[in-house]
Amino acid sequence: MIKLYYDPITVNCRKVLAGFDLASVPYESVKMDYFGGEHKQPDYLAVNPNGAIPALTDGDFVLWESNAMLQYGADLVGASAVYPTDVRTRADINRWLLWEASAWFPSCYVYLVENLVKPFLGDQPDPAVLEGEQERFDLLASILEARVSGQSFIMGDTVTLADIAVASPMHLHAYINLPLGPYPAIKAWMTRIEALPCWQNTDVVPLLGLDAQG
């Protein structure tokens, strides 16, 4: 069985937890203390030399990178409903997973750091950093807005791993002041994601001690 190393409060750990829930992937939990730096200790670095979470082992097989873990887990259990095997459909999903990791996550992460992490640590957001990110965010958000306009999920009427991956950097959007005002289709899509059992089962708001927001 998969052994999953994670702290549920982080974006990429929440992504894998929600994705595994969606795909019904069984695993053994190894909870880590992210703020305590447990992911930087020698025992864990032997699993993931990047010193980042999540990671998994499956027997003698070791895997890190959250999107690769989603793909592996879905294939392992044959969850073709959320990770279809049709070549073009799968390529499209993979494209969104790569886009999330390379572009969308880094942009959303700026708002997470400035508007949540810094205040949590007693610091103040830097308006210049937020202003400097706005153009890139708007470009990326317009791409996602166009994709989800007129359909329920990224791939159409059915939720897939693409939705879980792309939604994950936004999972605290109400708390990080993600500038979604001009993007009604993204907001409607995110509302549908937030109604999924896999998303509700992995809610981090209580873990972070945040007040519930709409």
Side-chain angles (χ1 to χ4, degrees):
M1 178 184 289
I2 285 174
K3 183 181 291 187
L4 181 63
Y5 298 79
Y6 68 95
D7 184 328
I9 67 170
T10 77
V11 170
N12 288 322
C13 290
R14 200 268 175 93
K15 179 201 297 181
V16 173
L17 291 172
F20 278 11
D21 189 312
L22 180 68
S24 298
V25 179
Y27 59 89
E28 175 187 344
S29 291
V30 182
K31 290 188 177 180
M32 311 284 291
D33 182 357
Y34 177 76
F35 283 114
E38 193 173 357
H39 57 300
K40 300 296 186 181
Q41 298 305 308
D43 285 351
Y44 180 71
L45 291 173
V47 176
N48 185 356
N50 296 288
I53 48 176
L56 67 77
T57 59
D58 188 5
D60 60 359
F61 179 61
V62 179
L63 187 64
W64 26 266
E65 290 299 318
S66 58
N67 288 337
M69 294 163 65
L70 289 180
Q71 294 166 319
Y72 177 75
D75 277 338
L76 192 67
V77 300
S80 58
V82 300
Y83 193 39
T85 57
D86 172 75
V87 173
R88 290 189 177 184
T89 303
R90 177 161 288 201
D92 199 359
I93 292 173
N94 290 346
R95 174 253 300 276
W96 286 100
L97 267 59
L98 290 165
W99 180 81
E100 181 270 331
S102 65
W104 186 237
F105 172 84
S107 186
C108 293
Y109 191 67
V110 171
Y111 297 90
L112 175 66
V113 169
E114 294 298 322
N115 292 328
L116 185 62
V117 176
K118 280 188 174 181
F120 182 78
L121 297 176
D123 202 353
Q124 295 295 318
D126 186 336
V129 171
L130 293 168
E131 183 179 352
E133 186 58 33
Q134 188 69 55
E135 182 177 359
R136 177 170 70 154
F137 180 85
D138 284 334
L139 171 62
L140 297 171
S142 67
I143 294 169
L144 180 58
E145 177 80 3
R147 180 60 179 238
V148 297
S149 293
Q151 60 187 40
S152 296
F153 299 105
I154 287 176
M155 298 304 297
D157 294 331
T158 304
V159 64
T160 68
L161 295 184
D163 297 286
I164 299 303
V166 175
S168 291
M170 303 170 58
H171 74 143
L172 293 171
H173 62 92
Y175 302 89
I176 66 175
N177 299 325
L178 207 61
L180 296 176
Y183 307 106
I186 293 179
K187 291 192 289 184
W189 165 76
M190 195 65 193
T191 297
R192 289 187 286 274
I193 298 297
E194 290 168 339
L196 296 171
C198 71
W199 204 257
Q200 296 177 356
N201 292 341
T202 56
D203 185 13
V204 304
V205 168
L207 301 176
L208 292 171
L210 300 172
D211 294 330
Q213 294 189 23

